[in-house]
Amino acid sequence: MDNQVHNSIVSFIWGIADDCLRDVYVRGKYRDVILPMTVIRRLDALLEDTKEAVLDMKKMLDDAGVDNQWPALCSAAGQAFCNASPFRLRDLTSRAKKQKLKADFEAYLDGFSPNVQEILEKFKFRNQLDTMLDADILGAVVEKFISSDINLSPKPIYKDEAKTILKHPGLDNHGMGTIFEELIRRFNEDNNEEAGEHWTPRDVVELMADLIFLPVADKIKDATYSCYDGACGTGGMLTVAHDRLLTLAENNGKKVSIHLYGQEINPETYAIAKADMLLKGDGEEAEHISYGSTLSQDGNATLQFDFMLSNPPYGKSWKTDADKMGGKDDIQDSRFKTKLNDESELKMIPRTSDGQLLFLLNNVAKMKNNTELGSRIAEVHNGSSIFTGDAGSGESNARRYLIENDLVEAIIAVPENMFYNTGIGTFIWVLSNKKEERRKGKIQLIDATSMKSPLRKNMGNKNCEFTPEIRNEIVRIFTEMEESEVSMVLNNDEFAYWTITVERPLRLRVYSDREIPSETFKKAEELETAKKALASVPPETPKDDWTAFAKATKLKATILKKIRPFITEKDSQAKPIDEPDVDLRDTENVPFTYEGGIDAFMKNEVLSYAPDAYVDEEKTAIGYEISFTKYFYKPIELREMSDILESLKALEKEADGVLAEIMEGM
């Protein structure tokens, strides 16, 4: 669809809100009317031509006493949905009285099939009727939506009866989906919605689709494939994926069928996604969109998918989900908890302030292992997923699981300001469980942060885009595994490290004649016992050897623990004891790629400075981190000193000239 046409439709619908709702609703509530009415008008437009056929079928079924009429009525409508009321939307504009309009409009809404009723319920649209009727704006809103100044029908509108002069082109389902998304973007922007509440621009989605489909295009067969999005919003990613896969198959002479699955937690965007699937003409596909939280109410727990695309919420709390799942520390969901080769448990639960990695793990849990293609995933995250979390944390463990299972093909850094409601930098993860031989054990990093084209007009925060040429170049770099200034192919071990705890022994000098505070012991006799024991220690017992001195007192360990702080001081010259000095404790990150491993690191980097240092092996943890800065950092070239001096001389000369002019003018 032409962008100008798309923009004019969005502007017209936006104008309906300003014209009709301004004095009745606060601006933030416009969407409660505009979005469901847009859906209703689109459904209505698709049902207009078959209205008589549906009413004829209904009369026949009523006469025959048939109870479950919906399958036959939908068939008569030629859609996956229908409206069995006597009305079309345009029939309601002639109602002069508010009560007649209310009764007929409610009958019109009640006439929709059950799959549309759920959409209306999630929009809570019926709750708006009394408000609109009391303000006498319902009729005006309906008239605006059926106006000849706008076309939400797939059929073109002509200016003349001969149909030679086009007034409005038809609006296909893809264009309708784009309009839904643009309206939501505007409403979000107008309400200053948080950064995590945004949908993914089509140029980014198309790149993601290319990254999961193009590498296996020659392996697509005459078969049925499934696409899934666990944070599907309005369903835009699924729509693009469907079209892209269908086109690839046709180009290769293959006939495929594609089933789309998704889940969405926001009732409004869920309703639009469901409507979008209905508009595609397949009622079964609409049933594949689940409502609720993917994390705590997985609507596709038993299914696996061929392709998965997603842009999960990031930087957004998932504490409510954690509580529903038994609390963060007690989550037993197998998607987020696994076992290592040594059968030890690996918990991949991130902090509750950001649950984006859980969506990636959810997708991984739905990968197919018994097919030639396996499963391919493309998912957008912010930087938190690639580097947040120390070794042993939930985030690091999630990265460890993904990388040690060799699932990550590539991570692509996306330019800032690519999204509508956030300007932060993002990354596209590309995963596969059936890697090509040349990719096994490796991850490709692509720095595409400078690969962008500026927009002529900003759309919210979005000020740049991926043109088809840029997308093709990124895909080329990916498919060819090219290594350059913007692309590196690294072994999996490059991202792994050990975090070791380096200890040094505690060294204490004894001062046995120091006073022990009376409050150290509850019983006075215990204090006296301690004093006598200290006094009885043979004078030849070394005072720089706490172990020997403590043994010589013959006191119980509990008493020694109480008196030690008062009769000792740290002394680097004293003999070490079998206890670490917490003040000297240090942690070090040792890369897996360090030649010789931890032992060599200690020998080369630590023991030459602290010969008594040692590693507490029980505290050693494995971590994984991916740092684009480390590999793509380009230091700023400093100017030569001679250039700086020349510039200073020139400035000095210029200043002298200005001063001279001032003096001459005085």
Side-chain angles (χ1 to χ4, degrees), residues 408-410 435-446 473-484 487-491:
V408 184
E409 283 194 346
K435 280 187 176 183
E436 301 173 65
E437 196 62 39
R438 61 181 180 145
R439 287 193 182 272
K440 288 182 178 177
K442 300 178 185 298
I443 297 175
Q444 184 177 6
L445 302 183
I446 300 175
E473 177 61 8
I474 294 172
V475 172
R476 184 195 67 77
I477 292 170
F478 171 68
T479 53
E480 294 180 7
M481 288 181 70
E482 178 180 280
E483 296 199 62
S484 64
S487 174
M488 293 189 179
V489 179
L490 303 161
N491 292 328

Side-chain angles (χ1 to χ4, degrees), residues 306-559:
D306 300 293
F307 302 102
M308 291 170 258
L309 303 89
S310 196
N311 178 12
Y314 32 81
K316 188 173 180 181
S317 172
W318 62 283
K319 188 177 185 307
T320 301
D321 285 306
D323 292 342
K324 289 179 181 177
M325 298 164 77
K328 179 178 181 293
D329 296 330
D330 296 310
I331 292 174
Q332 301 299 316
D333 195 310
S334 60
R335 292 175 294 171
F336 315 131
K337 192 176 176 183
T338 189
K339 287 193 174 181
L340 299 168
N341 292 333
D342 62 2
E343 293 300 305
S344 60
E345 188 176 83
L346 187 71
K347 293 185 75 172
M348 302 176 286
I349 312 296
R351 63 204 70 192
T352 54
S353 59
D354 189 353
Q356 59 185 305
L357 271 167
L358 296 177
F359 285 86
L360 188 56
L361 294 173
N362 168 69
N363 280 352
V364 168
K366 296 175 176 10
M367 294 180 109
K368 291 183 175 181
N369 293 302
N370 57 354
T371 62
E372 180 188 358
L373 288 181
S375 297
R376 295 184 62 76
I377 297 170
E379 193 161 312
V380 181
H381 288 248
N382 68 8
S384 175
S385 290
I386 65 173
F387 55 72
T388 295
D390 297 328
S393 67
E395 293 89 349
S396 178
N397 284 348
R399 292 189 290 269
R400 179 180 180 183
Y401 172 73
L402 298 173
I403 295 174
E404 288 189 358
N405 283 281
D406 202 18
L407 297 173
V408 184
E409 283 194 346
I411 299 177
I412 301 164
V414 177
E416 294 179 348
N417 297 309
M418 284 295 287
F419 291 80
Y420 301 101
N421 282 17
T422 179
I424 61 174
T426 51
F427 300 82
I428 299 174
W429 291 65
V430 183
L431 277 66
S432 169
N433 59 348
K434 292 291 178 74
K435 280 187 176 183
E436 301 173 65
E437 196 62 39
R438 61 181 180 145
R439 287 193 182 272
K440 288 182 178 177
K442 300 178 185 298
I443 297 175
Q444 184 177 6
L445 302 183
I446 300 175
D447 179 12
T449 53
S450 61
M451 302 172 72
K452 58 189 177 181
S453 177
L455 291 177
R456 283 179 293 181
K457 181 182 178 183
N458 288 9
M459 298 176 69
N461 283 86
K462 185 175 176 65
N463 64 12
C464 58
E465 65 177 343
F466 287 135
T467 61
E469 293 76 20
I470 292 173
R471 292 201 307 272
N472 290 340
E473 177 61 8
I474 294 172
V475 172
R476 184 195 67 77
I477 292 170
F478 171 68
T479 53
E480 294 180 7
M481 288 181 70
E482 178 180 280
E483 296 199 62
S484 64
E485 286 187 356
V486 297
S487 174
M488 293 189 179
V489 179
L490 303 161
N491 292 328
N492 288 347
D493 281 353
E494 182 72 32
F495 308 103
Y497 62 91
W498 295 280
T499 291
I500 61 172
T501 301
V502 179
E503 304 278 18
R504 292 180 66 186
L506 185 61
R507 297 171 184 268
L508 297 173
R509 181 169 291 279
V510 183
Y511 298 90
S512 57
D513 55 347
R514 288 185 176 174
E515 189 68 27
I516 302 171
S518 57
E519 61 269 17
T520 306
F521 298 98
K522 291 181 179 179
K523 297 179 180 178
E525 55 266 28
E526 289 183 337
L527 178 58
E528 288 304 314
T529 299
K531 288 181 176 180
K532 287 179 182 179
L534 291 174
S536 66
V537 173
E540 64 272 15
T541 305
K543 298 294 180 70
D544 65 347
D545 187 345
W546 168 254
T547 303
F549 185 88
K551 187 176 181 181
T553 65
K554 299 179 182 178
L555 287 169
K556 292 180 180 178
T558 53
I559 294 178

Side-chain angles (χ1 to χ4, degrees), residues 263-267 269-270 290-294 316 321:
Q263 185 154 352
E264 174 58 25
I265 191 171
N266 180 286
T269 46
Y270 165 77
S290 302
Y291 177 67
S293 170
T294 301
K316 188 173 180 181
D321 285 306

Side-chain angles (χ1 to χ4, degrees), residues 633-652:
Y633 173 70
K634 295 174 183 176
I636 299 172
E637 290 188 19
L638 299 177
R639 294 172 63 191
E640 294 288 337
M641 182 59 72
S642 57
D643 289 343
I644 296 173
L645 290 173
E646 285 298 323
S647 295
L648 289 173
K649 287 178 183 178
L651 287 171
E652 187 178 4

